[in-house]
Amino acid sequence: MSTSKQKIYWFCQLFGWSLLILVEYLAYVLESGFDPDALYLAIANIFLGITLTHLYRLMIRRWNWVRLPFFRLVPRVLLSVLVLAMIMTLVNIPIDRRLFPQYFIEEPWPTIGYLLTWGKNMLAWVLSYTAYHYVEENRNAEIERILLKTSIRETEAKVLRSQLNPHFVFNALNSIRALVYENPTKAQQGITQLSNLLRNSLLADRRKTVELREEIKTVEDYLALEKVRYEDRLTSRIELDNRTLFWQVPPMMLQTLVENAIKHGVSTAVGGGFVEVQSTIVADKLHITIRNTGVLGDKEASGGFGLANTAQRLELLYGPEATFQIFQEDDNIVCAEISIPTQSEGIFRREKVKNGEL
């Protein structure tokens, strides 16, 4: 319990019990006049009530009653109320019988009255305290479940970001190796491009999103390396709407899709082919289209890990508002389309979950 909650708790204890007992004492004074023994008894009952209810608090916290199912909690609460009322009754009856014998003419009704009175007081305290902590515990448990779910989803996203196809590294190294003696300048340029790709791949695990313009630079480096490998068999074109350059996209996502387009499309075509990347904004959503030469067969077989990776990453980061689809646009053209919602709808989705807004 925090310091502020402790202060509130003890204030409520002192104020609540003092108000309850002193009101009854004032009623007695108005009826029978001032009696110092009755005042001492009232003060003793204040401290006794605080002590008993505080012991109840320690008990339910020690045994975690508020985490019990409702049907198991209720009997324990009722039994506790009965025990607390009996203790107050057993302490007060002998003293009251000596101080106020006129109230004990008809037995056992005064005893039953004591049980009912103290039972009512204890029930009010116990129900208030238990209900508050029961609701708070359930609220905290729900928050923990949401945070745990969010953490799991974030971990999944990090795993997905790190599971990128490494084959392009080996292909790029072979391409650069062939240029070392033939064209050293181009080989140096290829090493720089490969270095950029490796750096971005390593950073992808640390960043949830990057600007589209940065992701496109990665794609350009990748295409440049593949151009060395495929030469005239590969042509590429990138057309970007200037409004989309600063939109946030998952890192290395487009590179993975372009890699799949070349691996399962261009490389299998007899005369080579093309890869085209376009971006635009439609209805306040970022739309990215990747078109390439190829024939779409079994998505799992032809798309490899990249397709499932893309769909999962978009869903984990942006929720159902983000979409990904791939289809056969023409006899020899495959088209992949990505739709990403506005940043207020997508990128802050995880923060909304943590704040309890979703």
Side-chain angles (χ1 to χ4, degrees):
M1 181 181 292
S2 63
T3 304
S4 59
K5 286 187 176 181
Q6 284 184 345
K7 291 180 180 179
I8 294 174
Y9 166 77
W10 286 113
F11 172 79
C12 291
Q13 280 280 61
L14 290 170
F15 179 78
W17 280 107
S18 298
L19 181 64
L20 174 67
I21 301 300
L22 291 179
V23 165
E24 295 181 356
Y25 172 73
L26 291 176
Y28 170 80
V29 170
L30 293 175
E31 179 182 351
S32 305
F34 175 76
D35 185 343
D37 291 334
L39 176 61
Y40 299 148
L41 179 60
I43 296 174
N45 277 328
I46 291 174
F47 287 101
L48 181 60
I50 293 175
T51 300
L52 291 177
T53 51
H54 184 66
L55 290 175
Y56 169 81
R57 168 183 173 271
L58 295 177
M59 180 179 65
I60 67 171
R61 288 168 63 88
R62 179 183 178 86
W63 294 336
N64 289 322
W65 280 13
V66 292
R67 296 190 176 184
L68 294 174
F70 184 76
F71 69 92
R72 294 179 59 189
L73 177 62
V74 171
R76 289 170 169 78
V77 170
L78 295 178
L79 180 61
S80 298
V81 170
L82 179 60
V83 171
L84 294 174
M86 288 180 62
I87 294 175
M88 295 296 292
T89 299
L90 293 175
V91 170
N92 277 272
I93 281 184
I95 300 175
D96 287 355
R97 182 179 282 115
R98 182 178 62 84
L99 296 178
F100 318 110
Q102 66 273 18
Y103 296 116
F104 292 85
I105 298 176
E106 297 180 3
E107 293 280 2
W109 302 115
T111 303
I112 296 177
Y114 268 69
L115 282 174
L116 292 176
T117 300
W118 288 113
K120 175 187 65 178
N121 296 335
M122 290 297 179
L123 181 63
W125 192 96
V126 168
L127 283 182
S128 300
Y129 184 83
T130 307
Y132 169 78
H133 282 279
Y134 186 80
V135 171
E136 184 180 48
E137 180 66 27
N138 280 271
R139 182 178 65 87
N140 291 338
E142 182 63 24
I143 292 175
E144 288 179 0
R145 283 193 292 269
I146 292 175
L147 292 178
L148 178 61
K149 183 178 179 180
T150 305
S151 176
I152 292 174
R153 291 169 70 88
E154 177 62 20
T155 300
E156 292 175 350
K158 291 182 67 176
V159 171
L160 290 173
R161 290 199 295 270
S162 65
Q163 290 179 332
L164 299 175
N165 194 336
H167 288 99
F168 75 89
V169 177
F170 302 105
N171 293 331
L173 286 174
N174 287 328
S175 299
I176 295 171
R177 178 176 176 272
L179 292 173
V180 170
Y181 295 105
E182 179 183 340
N183 192 335
T185 301
K186 198 169 184 179
Q188 292 177 358
Q189 184 180 3
I191 293 174
T192 301
Q193 292 164 341
L194 179 59
S195 175
N196 292 337
L197 282 169
L198 292 174
R199 182 180 67 251
N200 291 334
S201 178
L202 292 173
L203 291 177
D205 187 49
R206 305 177 186 176
R207 299 184 294 181
K208 300 178 186 64
T209 61
V210 296
E211 292 179 350
L212 178 60
R213 60 175 184 171
E214 182 178 347
E215 177 70 3
I216 289 299
K217 288 181 180 178
T218 301
V219 172
E220 290 174 338
D221 286 336
Y222 174 78
L223 287 173
L225 288 170
E226 290 295 72
K227 182 69 173 176
V228 174
R229 177 186 177 192
Y230 290 99
E231 297 181 339
D232 293 337
R233 296 183 64 240
L234 171 63
T235 59
S236 62
R237 182 171 66 254
I238 296 178
E239 297 179 357
L240 303 179
D241 187 330
N242 290 332
R243 297 175 299 170
T244 67
L245 296 180
F246 296 95
W247 278 61
Q248 298 290 318
V249 298
M252 301 298 289
M253 181 183 68
L254 296 184
Q255 183 276 331
T256 304
L257 292 177
V258 170
E259 181 180 357
N260 279 329
I262 294 177
K263 178 180 179 182
H264 302 287
V266 175
S267 66
T268 59
V270 176
F274 75 95
V275 176
E276 179 183 271
V277 180
Q278 294 179 322
S279 71
T280 186
I281 295 177
V282 179
D284 293 329
K285 288 187 176 182
L286 170 65
H287 288 263
I288 301 175
T289 303
I290 299 175
R291 301 171 68 249
N292 63 274
T293 302
V295 177
L296 184 64
D298 182 3
K299 293 182 181 180
E300 294 297 326
S302 63
F305 179 77
L307 301 185
N309 183 316
T310 300
Q312 285 182 277
R313 291 177 71 188
L314 289 172
E315 196 279 331
L316 287 170
L317 186 58
Y318 300 98
E321 291 293 326
T323 60
F324 170 73
Q325 60 177 335
I326 185 168
F327 56 91
Q328 192 74 41
E329 183 182 278
D330 203 345
D331 291 342
N332 196 37
I333 297 178
V334 175
C335 181
E337 292 184 347
I338 299 170
S339 176
I340 296 177
T342 57
Q343 306 306 299
S344 60
E345 294 177 0
I347 195 63
F348 297 115
R349 181 172 181 269
R350 187 171 67 90
E351 282 72 16
K352 288 185 177 181
V353 170
K354 283 189 175 182
N355 294 332
E357 298 176 22
L358 292 180

